Amino acid sequence: MGTEGVDLLVSPLGAYWLIRLVTDKGRELASEDWTPARREHWSLAAEPVRSVAKQIQRAPVARDPAAMLERNFDSPVWDEVARRCLSCSICAYVCPSCSCFDVHHEGNAWGGREIRCWDACTFPLFTRHASGHNPRGGPDARYRQRLLHKFAYLAPEQPQGSIRCVGCGRCIAHCPAGIDIHDALGRISAAAEAGKADG
Ligand code: SF4
Ligand code: SF4
């Protein structure tokens, strides 16, 4: 279980709580009245994790998705994968790990305000320059950016990286075009292995 950013990790165990003291601050919060946990308590607390792991039926599509995607930046398969994309950005709006935003300024002679709102790399205007040029002019380039952002540029192994896809499947369930991020990664990887792109 992840302990990043927490002082105490609390797991429900029936009528009790199992509390892991993660940091010094957490240890300061501990009470002498608490009963020390035994090995079977830790095993019980891990059961939900084991149960969820058993439900995962789709295997990873590449050992190193970042390297695979970066090598296949110019793959023709991006167009096949994203041809149906409507650029609606529902995939980003339902994603628990997407965080891109835009800032608007509204107002008149009497006052104004700055508004921060969601934005997404799958919108055509996301990267359009003031000149009208758009370096990601088609849905293939925009969908490629979405996957590379998640699995390469800001993947957990990168200096500023973190987990950008938790595998929840919300983008798959809500995409009106039926685009499946796992399937897309698989198609890029399979094409690379088959020599259609650079594996
Ligand atoms: S992948 Fe699907 S949900 Fe995302 S922008 Fe394209 S059509 Fe919309
Ligand atoms: S499967 Fe990944 S990309 Fe899709 S909504 Fe969940 S976290 Fe976001």
mmCIF file of all heavy atoms in Angstrom, residues 78 81-95 98-101 118-128 134 136-150 171 175-177 179 181 184:
data_model
loop_
_atom_site.group_PDB
_atom_site.id
_atom_site.type_symbol
_atom_site.label_atom_id
_atom_site.label_comp_id
_atom_site.label_asym_id
_atom_site.label_seq_id
_atom_site.Cartn_x
_atom_site.Cartn_y
_atom_site.Cartn_z
ATOM 1 N N TRP A 78 -0.199 5.810 -35.043
ATOM 2 C CA TRP A 78 -0.907 6.846 -34.277
ATOM 3 C C TRP A 78 -2.163 7.294 -35.008
ATOM 4 O O TRP A 78 -3.198 7.537 -34.398
ATOM 5 C CB TRP A 78 0.009 8.050 -34.027
ATOM 6 C CG TRP A 78 1.091 7.765 -33.049
ATOM 7 C CD1 TRP A 78 2.423 7.693 -33.298
ATOM 8 C CD2 TRP A 78 0.943 7.494 -31.645
ATOM 9 N NE1 TRP A 78 3.112 7.389 -32.140
ATOM 10 C CE2 TRP A 78 2.223 7.269 -31.122
ATOM 11 C CE3 TRP A 78 -0.157 7.417 -30.796
ATOM 12 C CZ2 TRP A 78 2.450 6.975 -29.780
ATOM 13 C CZ3 TRP A 78 0.052 7.120 -29.462
ATOM 14 C CH2 TRP A 78 1.341 6.906 -28.976
ATOM 15 N N VAL A 81 -4.829 4.649 -34.610
ATOM 16 C CA VAL A 81 -5.330 4.616 -33.239
ATOM 17 C C VAL A 81 -6.300 5.763 -32.972
ATOM 18 O O VAL A 81 -7.329 5.600 -32.324
ATOM 19 C CB VAL A 81 -4.126 4.677 -32.257
ATOM 20 C CG1 VAL A 81 -4.570 5.060 -30.863
ATOM 21 C CG2 VAL A 81 -3.389 3.348 -32.237
ATOM 22 N N ALA A 82 -5.978 6.947 -33.499
ATOM 23 C CA ALA A 82 -6.724 8.158 -33.113
ATOM 24 C C ALA A 82 -7.653 8.663 -34.210
ATOM 25 O O ALA A 82 -8.242 9.725 -34.064
ATOM 26 C CB ALA A 82 -5.741 9.255 -32.723
ATOM 27 N N ARG A 83 -7.803 7.898 -35.294
ATOM 28 C CA ARG A 83 -8.619 8.392 -36.419
ATOM 29 C C ARG A 83 -10.047 8.717 -35.990
ATOM 30 O O ARG A 83 -10.678 9.620 -36.504
ATOM 31 C CB ARG A 83 -8.614 7.340 -37.531
ATOM 32 C CG ARG A 83 -9.071 7.868 -38.862
ATOM 33 C CD ARG A 83 -8.835 6.861 -39.947
ATOM 34 N NE ARG A 83 -7.419 6.654 -40.220
ATOM 35 C CZ ARG A 83 -6.938 5.571 -40.827
ATOM 36 N NH1 ARG A 83 -7.738 4.601 -41.197
ATOM 37 N NH2 ARG A 83 -5.633 5.451 -41.038
ATOM 38 N N ARG A 84 -10.578 7.957 -35.060
ATOM 39 C CA ARG A 84 -11.980 8.167 -34.641
ATOM 40 C C ARG A 84 -12.116 9.241 -33.574
ATOM 41 O O ARG A 84 -13.222 9.582 -33.154
ATOM 42 C CB ARG A 84 -12.552 6.865 -34.062
ATOM 43 C CG ARG A 84 -12.845 5.812 -35.105
ATOM 44 C CD ARG A 84 -13.230 4.521 -34.436
ATOM 45 N NE ARG A 84 -12.100 3.951 -33.714
ATOM 46 C CZ ARG A 84 -12.194 3.124 -32.677
ATOM 47 N NH1 ARG A 84 -13.369 2.776 -32.215
ATOM 48 N NH2 ARG A 84 -11.114 2.642 -32.097
ATOM 49 N N CYS A 85 -10.986 9.762 -33.073
ATOM 50 C CA CYS A 85 -11.034 10.704 -31.950
ATOM 51 C C CYS A 85 -11.814 11.964 -32.322
ATOM 52 O O CYS A 85 -11.584 12.568 -33.367
ATOM 53 C CB CYS A 85 -9.610 11.065 -31.533
ATOM 54 S SG CYS A 85 -9.563 12.271 -30.201
ATOM 55 N N LEU A 86 -12.750 12.355 -31.479
ATOM 56 C CA LEU A 86 -13.594 13.527 -31.709
ATOM 57 C C LEU A 86 -13.007 14.787 -31.076
ATOM 58 O O LEU A 86 -13.627 15.846 -31.135
ATOM 59 C CB LEU A 86 -14.987 13.271 -31.122
ATOM 60 C CG LEU A 86 -15.696 12.004 -31.612
ATOM 61 C CD1 LEU A 86 -16.953 11.761 -30.796
ATOM 62 C CD2 LEU A 86 -16.022 12.121 -33.090
ATOM 63 N N SER A 87 -11.870 14.652 -30.429
ATOM 64 C CA SER A 87 -11.225 15.792 -29.744
ATOM 65 C C SER A 87 -12.132 16.400 -28.679
ATOM 66 O O SER A 87 -12.086 17.608 -28.427
ATOM 67 C CB SER A 87 -10.796 16.870 -30.758
ATOM 68 O OG SER A 87 -9.926 16.317 -31.707
ATOM 69 N N CYS A 88 -12.948 15.577 -28.063
ATOM 70 C CA CYS A 88 -13.895 16.088 -27.060
ATOM 71 C C CYS A 88 -13.241 16.255 -25.687
ATOM 72 O O CYS A 88 -13.740 16.978 -24.836
ATOM 73 C CB CYS A 88 -15.085 15.134 -26.936
ATOM 74 S SG CYS A 88 -14.632 13.504 -26.305
ATOM 75 N N SER A 89 -12.157 15.532 -25.458
ATOM 76 C CA SER A 89 -11.400 15.581 -24.191
ATOM 77 C C SER A 89 -12.138 15.021 -22.985
ATOM 78 O O SER A 89 -11.766 15.284 -21.835
ATOM 79 C CB SER A 89 -10.902 17.000 -23.892
ATOM 80 O OG SER A 89 -9.949 17.366 -24.859
ATOM 81 N N ILE A 90 -13.185 14.246 -23.226
ATOM 82 C CA ILE A 90 -13.848 13.576 -22.104
ATOM 83 C C ILE A 90 -12.842 12.685 -21.368
ATOM 84 O O ILE A 90 -12.843 12.596 -20.140
ATOM 85 C CB ILE A 90 -15.053 12.752 -22.609
ATOM 86 C CG1 ILE A 90 -16.182 13.697 -23.013
ATOM 87 C CG2 ILE A 90 -15.536 11.756 -21.552
ATOM 88 C CD1 ILE A 90 -17.363 13.014 -23.651
ATOM 89 N N CYS A 91 -11.930 12.066 -22.141
ATOM 90 C CA CYS A 91 -10.936 11.176 -21.517
ATOM 91 C C CYS A 91 -10.119 11.911 -20.462
ATOM 92 O O CYS A 91 -9.795 11.358 -19.405
ATOM 93 C CB CYS A 91 -10.032 10.556 -22.574
ATOM 94 S SG CYS A 91 -9.310 11.758 -23.713
ATOM 95 N N ALA A 92 -9.790 13.174 -20.748
ATOM 96 C CA ALA A 92 -8.996 13.947 -19.781
ATOM 97 C C ALA A 92 -9.856 14.412 -18.608
ATOM 98 O O ALA A 92 -9.403 14.417 -17.464
ATOM 99 C CB ALA A 92 -8.356 15.140 -20.468
ATOM 100 N N TYR A 93 -11.084 14.761 -18.893
ATOM 101 C CA TYR A 93 -11.940 15.312 -17.834
ATOM 102 C C TYR A 93 -12.336 14.258 -16.799
ATOM 103 O O TYR A 93 -12.587 14.590 -15.642
ATOM 104 C CB TYR A 93 -13.201 15.950 -18.446
ATOM 105 C CG TYR A 93 -12.946 17.353 -18.954
ATOM 106 C CD1 TYR A 93 -11.755 17.676 -19.588
ATOM 107 C CD2 TYR A 93 -13.883 18.362 -18.786
ATOM 108 C CE1 TYR A 93 -11.497 18.947 -20.047
ATOM 109 C CE2 TYR A 93 -13.633 19.652 -19.248
ATOM 110 C CZ TYR A 93 -12.438 19.934 -19.882
ATOM 111 O OH TYR A 93 -12.178 21.200 -20.324
ATOM 112 N N VAL A 94 -12.418 12.996 -17.215
ATOM 113 C CA VAL A 94 -12.777 11.950 -16.250
ATOM 114 C C VAL A 94 -11.536 11.304 -15.625
ATOM 115 O O VAL A 94 -11.656 10.486 -14.715
ATOM 116 C CB VAL A 94 -13.660 10.842 -16.882
ATOM 117 C CG1 VAL A 94 -14.972 11.416 -17.374
ATOM 118 C CG2 VAL A 94 -12.925 10.118 -18.015
ATOM 119 N N CYS A 95 -10.360 11.694 -16.111
ATOM 120 C CA CYS A 95 -9.126 11.036 -15.642
ATOM 121 C C CYS A 95 -8.717 11.570 -14.271
ATOM 122 O O CYS A 95 -8.586 12.779 -14.091
ATOM 123 C CB CYS A 95 -8.013 11.279 -16.652
ATOM 124 S SG CYS A 95 -6.438 10.569 -16.128
ATOM 125 N N CYS A 98 -5.117 13.451 -14.796
ATOM 126 C CA CYS A 98 -4.884 14.584 -15.705
ATOM 127 C C CYS A 98 -5.014 15.880 -14.904
ATOM 128 O O CYS A 98 -5.921 16.023 -14.083
ATOM 129 C CB CYS A 98 -5.895 14.588 -16.850
ATOM 130 S SG CYS A 98 -5.441 13.483 -18.201
ATOM 131 N N SER A 99 -4.120 16.820 -15.163
ATOM 132 C CA SER A 99 -4.128 18.041 -14.347
ATOM 133 C C SER A 99 -3.921 19.310 -15.157
ATOM 134 O O SER A 99 -3.722 20.388 -14.581
ATOM 135 C CB SER A 99 -3.045 17.930 -13.267
ATOM 136 O OG SER A 99 -1.786 17.690 -13.877
ATOM 137 N N CYS A 100 -3.916 19.233 -16.492
ATOM 138 C CA CYS A 100 -3.650 20.439 -17.286
ATOM 139 C C CYS A 100 -4.774 21.458 -17.134
ATOM 140 O O CYS A 100 -5.936 21.101 -17.009
ATOM 141 C CB CYS A 100 -3.480 20.070 -18.756
ATOM 142 S SG CYS A 100 -1.949 19.172 -19.048
ATOM 143 N N PHE A 101 -4.399 22.731 -17.149
ATOM 144 C CA PHE A 101 -5.393 23.796 -16.980
ATOM 145 C C PHE A 101 -5.024 24.996 -17.842
ATOM 146 O O PHE A 101 -3.919 25.089 -18.375
ATOM 147 C CB PHE A 101 -5.478 24.216 -15.513
ATOM 148 C CG PHE A 101 -4.203 24.789 -14.966
ATOM 149 C CD1 PHE A 101 -3.914 26.149 -15.082
ATOM 150 C CD2 PHE A 101 -3.268 23.969 -14.346
ATOM 151 C CE1 PHE A 101 -2.733 26.672 -14.592
ATOM 152 C CE2 PHE A 101 -2.077 24.498 -13.849
ATOM 153 C CZ PHE A 101 -1.803 25.845 -13.976
ATOM 154 N N TRP A 118 -10.120 23.831 -16.348
ATOM 155 C CA TRP A 118 -9.505 22.636 -16.917
ATOM 156 C C TRP A 118 -9.178 22.853 -18.385
ATOM 157 O O TRP A 118 -9.892 23.555 -19.097
ATOM 158 C CB TRP A 118 -10.464 21.436 -16.815
ATOM 159 C CG TRP A 118 -10.652 20.912 -15.440
ATOM 160 C CD1 TRP A 118 -11.812 20.892 -14.733
ATOM 161 C CD2 TRP A 118 -9.670 20.295 -14.601
ATOM 162 N NE1 TRP A 118 -11.613 20.325 -13.510
ATOM 163 C CE2 TRP A 118 -10.307 19.944 -13.402
ATOM 164 C CE3 TRP A 118 -8.298 20.019 -14.747
ATOM 165 C CZ2 TRP A 118 -9.639 19.328 -12.356
ATOM 166 C CZ3 TRP A 118 -7.633 19.411 -13.702
ATOM 167 C CH2 TRP A 118 -8.305 19.074 -12.535
ATOM 168 N N ASP A 119 -8.141 22.198 -18.840
ATOM 169 C CA ASP A 119 -7.813 22.166 -20.268
ATOM 170 C C ASP A 119 -7.264 20.770 -20.548
ATOM 171 O O ASP A 119 -7.054 19.984 -19.608
ATOM 172 C CB ASP A 119 -6.778 23.256 -20.604
ATOM 173 C CG ASP A 119 -6.838 23.649 -22.070
ATOM 174 O OD1 ASP A 119 -7.528 22.964 -22.843
ATOM 175 O OD2 ASP A 119 -6.180 24.630 -22.439
ATOM 176 N N ALA A 120 -7.053 20.455 -21.789
ATOM 177 C CA ALA A 120 -6.585 19.101 -22.101
ATOM 178 C C ALA A 120 -5.846 19.105 -23.429
ATOM 179 O O ALA A 120 -6.204 19.843 -24.355
ATOM 180 C CB ALA A 120 -7.772 18.142 -22.180
ATOM 181 N N CYS A 121 -4.815 18.266 -23.517
ATOM 182 C CA CYS A 121 -3.989 18.206 -24.716
ATOM 183 C C CYS A 121 -4.745 17.605 -25.898
ATOM 184 O O CYS A 121 -4.262 17.675 -27.028
ATOM 185 C CB CYS A 121 -2.715 17.406 -24.451
ATOM 186 S SG CYS A 121 -3.025 15.727 -23.865
ATOM 187 N N THR A 122 -5.914 17.042 -25.667
ATOM 188 C CA THR A 122 -6.698 16.479 -26.762
ATOM 189 C C THR A 122 -7.608 17.523 -27.414
ATOM 190 O O THR A 122 -8.257 17.227 -28.414
ATOM 191 C CB THR A 122 -7.520 15.282 -26.255
ATOM 192 O OG1 THR A 122 -7.924 15.539 -24.905
ATOM 193 C CG2 THR A 122 -6.716 14.004 -26.285
ATOM 194 N N PHE A 123 -7.653 18.734 -26.875
ATOM 195 C CA PHE A 123 -8.394 19.825 -27.516
ATOM 196 C C PHE A 123 -7.538 20.434 -28.623
ATOM 197 O O PHE A 123 -6.342 20.709 -28.418
ATOM 198 C CB PHE A 123 -8.718 20.934 -26.509
ATOM 199 C CG PHE A 123 -9.919 20.676 -25.655
ATOM 200 C CD1 PHE A 123 -9.860 20.896 -24.289
ATOM 201 C CD2 PHE A 123 -11.115 20.248 -26.206
ATOM 202 C CE1 PHE A 123 -10.964 20.681 -23.483
ATOM 203 C CE2 PHE A 123 -12.232 20.030 -25.415
ATOM 204 C CZ PHE A 123 -12.156 20.247 -24.054
ATOM 205 N N PRO A 124 -8.117 20.742 -29.800
ATOM 206 C CA PRO A 124 -7.328 21.344 -30.888
ATOM 207 C C PRO A 124 -6.701 22.679 -30.510
ATOM 208 O O PRO A 124 -5.614 23.012 -30.988
ATOM 209 C CB PRO A 124 -8.366 21.534 -32.006
ATOM 210 C CG PRO A 124 -9.434 20.547 -31.704
ATOM 211 C CD PRO A 124 -9.489 20.403 -30.205
ATOM 212 N N LEU A 125 -7.329 23.458 -29.654
ATOM 213 C CA LEU A 125 -6.784 24.777 -29.324
ATOM 214 C C LEU A 125 -5.659 24.725 -28.287
ATOM 215 O O LEU A 125 -5.020 25.743 -28.038
ATOM 216 C CB LEU A 125 -7.901 25.689 -28.783
ATOM 217 C CG LEU A 125 -9.005 26.073 -29.768
ATOM 218 C CD1 LEU A 125 -9.961 27.067 -29.125
ATOM 219 C CD2 LEU A 125 -8.428 26.647 -31.051
ATOM 220 N N PHE A 126 -5.436 23.573 -27.708
ATOM 221 C CA PHE A 126 -4.489 23.477 -26.593
ATOM 222 C C PHE A 126 -3.108 24.001 -26.961
ATOM 223 O O PHE A 126 -2.453 24.681 -26.186
ATOM 224 C CB PHE A 126 -4.407 22.020 -26.123
ATOM 225 C CG PHE A 126 -3.617 21.820 -24.863
ATOM 226 C CD1 PHE A 126 -4.150 22.119 -23.630
ATOM 227 C CD2 PHE A 126 -2.323 21.299 -24.910
ATOM 228 C CE1 PHE A 126 -3.425 21.924 -22.466
ATOM 229 C CE2 PHE A 126 -1.593 21.097 -23.760
ATOM 230 C CZ PHE A 126 -2.145 21.409 -22.532
ATOM 231 N N THR A 127 -2.660 23.677 -28.183
ATOM 232 C CA THR A 127 -1.307 24.107 -28.577
ATOM 233 C C THR A 127 -1.324 25.054 -29.774
ATOM 234 O O THR A 127 -0.277 25.295 -30.368
ATOM 235 C CB THR A 127 -0.426 22.888 -28.935
ATOM 236 O OG1 THR A 127 -1.177 21.998 -29.734
ATOM 237 C CG2 THR A 127 0.090 22.195 -27.706
ATOM 238 N N ARG A 128 -2.493 25.574 -30.144
ATOM 239 C CA ARG A 128 -2.517 26.471 -31.305
ATOM 240 C C ARG A 128 -1.828 27.793 -30.949
ATOM 241 O O ARG A 128 -2.144 28.409 -29.932
ATOM 242 C CB ARG A 128 -3.950 26.740 -31.778
ATOM 243 C CG ARG A 128 -3.966 27.344 -33.178
ATOM 244 C CD ARG A 128 -5.341 27.588 -33.684
ATOM 245 N NE ARG A 128 -5.959 28.721 -33.003
ATOM 246 C CZ ARG A 128 -7.163 29.211 -33.303
ATOM 247 N NH1 ARG A 128 -7.885 28.633 -34.237
ATOM 248 N NH2 ARG A 128 -7.655 30.234 -32.634
ATOM 249 N N ASN A 134 -0.576 25.264 -35.620
ATOM 250 C CA ASN A 134 -0.788 24.322 -34.526
ATOM 251 C C ASN A 134 0.166 23.144 -34.691
ATOM 252 O O ASN A 134 0.028 22.350 -35.626
ATOM 253 C CB ASN A 134 -2.235 23.812 -34.522
ATOM 254 C CG ASN A 134 -2.571 23.079 -33.242
ATOM 255 O OD1 ASN A 134 -1.675 22.616 -32.537
ATOM 256 N ND2 ASN A 134 -3.850 22.967 -32.935
ATOM 257 N N ARG A 136 0.336 20.506 -33.107
ATOM 258 C CA ARG A 136 -0.414 19.243 -32.977
ATOM 259 C C ARG A 136 -1.766 19.438 -33.663
ATOM 260 O O ARG A 136 -2.813 19.515 -33.020
ATOM 261 C CB ARG A 136 -0.609 18.863 -31.507
ATOM 262 C CG ARG A 136 0.712 18.583 -30.806
ATOM 263 C CD ARG A 136 0.496 18.015 -29.420
ATOM 264 N NE ARG A 136 1.661 18.285 -28.608
ATOM 265 C CZ ARG A 136 1.639 18.917 -27.439
ATOM 266 N NH1 ARG A 136 0.487 19.280 -26.900
ATOM 267 N NH2 ARG A 136 2.741 19.159 -26.775
ATOM 268 N N GLY A 137 -1.697 19.507 -34.981
ATOM 269 C CA GLY A 137 -2.877 19.877 -35.746
ATOM 270 C C GLY A 137 -3.917 18.790 -35.897
ATOM 271 O O GLY A 137 -5.081 19.076 -36.189
ATOM 272 N N GLY A 138 -3.551 17.522 -35.701
ATOM 273 C CA GLY A 138 -4.507 16.435 -35.906
ATOM 274 C C GLY A 138 -4.699 15.612 -34.646
ATOM 275 O O GLY A 138 -3.875 15.664 -33.728
ATOM 276 N N PRO A 139 -5.785 14.833 -34.595
ATOM 277 C CA PRO A 139 -6.035 14.024 -33.400
ATOM 278 C C PRO A 139 -4.945 12.993 -33.130
ATOM 279 O O PRO A 139 -4.711 12.608 -31.986
ATOM 280 C CB PRO A 139 -7.378 13.342 -33.687
ATOM 281 C CG PRO A 139 -7.619 13.521 -35.137
ATOM 282 C CD PRO A 139 -6.852 14.720 -35.580
ATOM 283 N N ASP A 140 -4.242 12.548 -34.202
ATOM 284 C CA ASP A 140 -3.160 11.584 -33.977
ATOM 285 C C ASP A 140 -2.039 12.206 -33.151
ATOM 286 O O ASP A 140 -1.553 11.616 -32.184
ATOM 287 C CB ASP A 140 -2.624 11.046 -35.314
ATOM 288 C CG ASP A 140 -2.231 12.160 -36.275
ATOM 289 O OD1 ASP A 140 -2.690 13.311 -36.095
ATOM 290 O OD2 ASP A 140 -1.452 11.881 -37.207
ATOM 291 N N ALA A 141 -1.651 13.444 -33.496
ATOM 292 C CA ALA A 141 -0.573 14.115 -32.743
ATOM 293 C C ALA A 141 -1.027 14.432 -31.320
ATOM 294 O O ALA A 141 -0.230 14.352 -30.379
ATOM 295 C CB ALA A 141 -0.167 15.390 -33.466
ATOM 296 N N ARG A 142 -2.310 14.749 -31.173
ATOM 297 C CA ARG A 142 -2.783 15.115 -29.828
ATOM 298 C C ARG A 142 -2.924 13.878 -28.936
ATOM 299 O O ARG A 142 -2.562 13.889 -27.751
ATOM 300 C CB ARG A 142 -4.119 15.870 -29.935
ATOM 301 C CG ARG A 142 -3.954 17.211 -30.643
ATOM 302 C CD ARG A 142 -5.180 18.068 -30.487
ATOM 303 N NE ARG A 142 -6.306 17.646 -31.302
ATOM 304 C CZ ARG A 142 -6.527 18.052 -32.545
ATOM 305 N NH1 ARG A 142 -5.703 18.890 -33.134
ATOM 306 N NH2 ARG A 142 -7.594 17.636 -33.209
ATOM 307 N N TYR A 143 -3.430 12.802 -29.511
ATOM 308 C CA TYR A 143 -3.564 11.572 -28.707
ATOM 309 C C TYR A 143 -2.180 11.013 -28.357
ATOM 310 O O TYR A 143 -1.952 10.501 -27.261
ATOM 311 C CB TYR A 143 -4.406 10.535 -29.447
ATOM 312 C CG TYR A 143 -4.852 9.412 -28.553
ATOM 313 C CD1 TYR A 143 -5.816 9.629 -27.559
ATOM 314 C CD2 TYR A 143 -4.295 8.143 -28.655
ATOM 315 C CE1 TYR A 143 -6.215 8.616 -26.709
ATOM 316 C CE2 TYR A 143 -4.696 7.125 -27.814
ATOM 317 C CZ TYR A 143 -5.649 7.360 -26.846
ATOM 318 O OH TYR A 143 -6.041 6.348 -25.997
ATOM 319 N N ARG A 144 -1.250 11.132 -29.287
ATOM 320 C CA ARG A 144 0.137 10.710 -29.014
ATOM 321 C C ARG A 144 0.705 11.513 -27.840
ATOM 322 O O ARG A 144 1.348 10.956 -26.949
ATOM 323 C CB ARG A 144 0.979 10.929 -30.271
ATOM 324 C CG ARG A 144 2.452 10.618 -30.080
ATOM 325 C CD ARG A 144 3.221 10.868 -31.359
ATOM 326 N NE ARG A 144 3.176 12.269 -31.749
ATOM 327 C CZ ARG A 144 3.520 12.719 -32.957
ATOM 328 N NH1 ARG A 144 3.935 11.892 -33.883
ATOM 329 N NH2 ARG A 144 3.449 14.004 -33.222
ATOM 330 N N GLN A 145 0.437 12.810 -27.830
ATOM 331 C CA GLN A 145 0.904 13.636 -26.719
ATOM 332 C C GLN A 145 0.317 13.147 -25.398
ATOM 333 O O GLN A 145 0.996 13.081 -24.376
ATOM 334 C CB GLN A 145 0.519 15.107 -26.965
ATOM 335 C CG GLN A 145 0.609 16.009 -25.753
ATOM 336 C CD GLN A 145 2.019 16.156 -25.207
ATOM 337 O OE1 GLN A 145 2.983 15.918 -25.924
ATOM 338 N NE2 GLN A 145 2.128 16.547 -23.943
ATOM 339 N N ARG A 146 -0.970 12.812 -25.426
ATOM 340 C CA ARG A 146 -1.619 12.336 -24.196
ATOM 341 C C ARG A 146 -0.898 11.109 -23.650
ATOM 342 O O ARG A 146 -0.594 11.009 -22.465
ATOM 343 C CB ARG A 146 -3.090 12.010 -24.489
ATOM 344 C CG ARG A 146 -3.839 11.417 -23.318
ATOM 345 C CD ARG A 146 -5.345 11.327 -23.634
ATOM 346 N NE ARG A 146 -6.034 10.514 -22.632
ATOM 347 C CZ ARG A 146 -6.311 10.931 -21.410
ATOM 348 N NH1 ARG A 146 -5.973 12.134 -21.038
ATOM 349 N NH2 ARG A 146 -6.924 10.137 -20.555
ATOM 350 N N LEU A 147 -0.592 10.153 -24.532
ATOM 351 C CA LEU A 147 0.041 8.913 -24.068
ATOM 352 C C LEU A 147 1.505 9.137 -23.678
ATOM 353 O O LEU A 147 1.979 8.593 -22.674
ATOM 354 C CB LEU A 147 -0.081 7.831 -25.142
ATOM 355 C CG LEU A 147 -1.288 6.907 -24.960
ATOM 356 C CD1 LEU A 147 -2.593 7.690 -24.914
ATOM 357 C CD2 LEU A 147 -1.349 5.844 -26.044
ATOM 358 N N LEU A 148 2.203 9.946 -24.444
ATOM 359 C CA LEU A 148 3.606 10.194 -24.104
ATOM 360 C C LEU A 148 3.737 10.996 -22.809
ATOM 361 O O LEU A 148 4.653 10.771 -22.021
ATOM 362 C CB LEU A 148 4.309 10.907 -25.265
ATOM 363 C CG LEU A 148 4.767 9.927 -26.356
ATOM 364 C CD1 LEU A 148 4.743 10.547 -27.730
ATOM 365 C CD2 LEU A 148 6.162 9.396 -26.051
ATOM 366 N N HIS A 149 2.818 11.932 -22.591
ATOM 367 C CA HIS A 149 2.844 12.692 -21.338
ATOM 368 C C HIS A 149 2.692 11.737 -20.152
ATOM 369 O O HIS A 149 3.400 11.817 -19.158
ATOM 370 C CB HIS A 149 1.705 13.718 -21.369
ATOM 371 C CG HIS A 149 1.730 14.684 -20.220
ATOM 372 N ND1 HIS A 149 0.843 15.713 -20.084
ATOM 373 C CD2 HIS A 149 2.527 14.763 -19.132
ATOM 374 C CE1 HIS A 149 1.089 16.405 -18.993
ATOM 375 N NE2 HIS A 149 2.102 15.835 -18.386
ATOM 376 N N LYS A 150 1.767 10.801 -20.298
ATOM 377 C CA LYS A 150 1.494 9.897 -19.177
ATOM 378 C C LYS A 150 2.584 8.843 -18.985
ATOM 379 O O LYS A 150 2.964 8.524 -17.861
ATOM 380 C CB LYS A 150 0.146 9.184 -19.389
ATOM 381 C CG LYS A 150 -1.037 10.094 -19.191
ATOM 382 C CD LYS A 150 -2.332 9.318 -19.252
ATOM 383 C CE LYS A 150 -3.509 10.238 -18.958
ATOM 384 N NZ LYS A 150 -3.469 10.810 -17.606
ATOM 385 N N CYS A 171 -11.405 6.560 -18.832
ATOM 386 C CA CYS A 171 -11.335 7.135 -20.186
ATOM 387 C C CYS A 171 -11.856 6.129 -21.210
ATOM 388 O O CYS A 171 -12.422 6.524 -22.236
ATOM 389 C CB CYS A 171 -9.902 7.551 -20.502
ATOM 390 S SG CYS A 171 -8.699 6.214 -20.391
ATOM 391 N N CYS A 175 -15.206 7.265 -23.371
ATOM 392 C CA CYS A 175 -14.852 7.792 -24.701
ATOM 393 C C CYS A 175 -15.996 7.529 -25.683
ATOM 394 O O CYS A 175 -16.353 6.379 -25.925
ATOM 395 C CB CYS A 175 -13.575 7.124 -25.213
ATOM 396 S SG CYS A 175 -13.173 7.629 -26.900
ATOM 397 N N PRO A 176 -16.565 8.568 -26.285
ATOM 398 C CA PRO A 176 -17.686 8.352 -27.207
ATOM 399 C C PRO A 176 -17.259 7.664 -28.499
ATOM 400 O O PRO A 176 -18.105 7.143 -29.234
ATOM 401 C CB PRO A 176 -18.194 9.775 -27.486
ATOM 402 C CG PRO A 176 -17.042 10.669 -27.204
ATOM 403 C CD PRO A 176 -16.252 9.996 -26.114
ATOM 404 N N ALA A 177 -15.967 7.649 -28.783
ATOM 405 C CA ALA A 177 -15.478 7.007 -30.004
ATOM 406 C C ALA A 177 -14.973 5.588 -29.748
ATOM 407 O O ALA A 177 -14.511 4.919 -30.662
ATOM 408 C CB ALA A 177 -14.357 7.849 -30.605
ATOM 409 N N ILE A 179 -12.369 4.669 -28.020
ATOM 410 C CA ILE A 179 -10.897 4.547 -28.023
ATOM 411 C C ILE A 179 -10.444 4.038 -26.652
ATOM 412 O O ILE A 179 -10.886 4.525 -25.616
ATOM 413 C CB ILE A 179 -10.243 5.890 -28.382
ATOM 414 C CG1 ILE A 179 -10.605 6.241 -29.833
ATOM 415 C CG2 ILE A 179 -8.731 5.833 -28.203
ATOM 416 C CD1 ILE A 179 -10.149 7.610 -30.291
ATOM 417 N N ILE A 181 -7.278 3.191 -24.228
ATOM 418 C CA ILE A 181 -5.871 3.557 -24.039
ATOM 419 C C ILE A 181 -4.968 2.318 -23.968
ATOM 420 O O ILE A 181 -3.847 2.313 -24.484
ATOM 421 C CB ILE A 181 -5.720 4.453 -22.784
ATOM 422 C CG1 ILE A 181 -4.321 5.052 -22.688
ATOM 423 C CG2 ILE A 181 -6.074 3.706 -21.509
ATOM 424 C CD1 ILE A 181 -4.202 6.140 -21.636
ATOM 425 N N ALA A 184 -4.668 1.041 -27.442
ATOM 426 C CA ALA A 184 -3.813 1.930 -28.240
ATOM 427 C C ALA A 184 -2.339 1.633 -27.985
ATOM 428 O O ALA A 184 -1.545 1.498 -28.924
ATOM 429 C CB ALA A 184 -4.135 3.384 -27.912
#
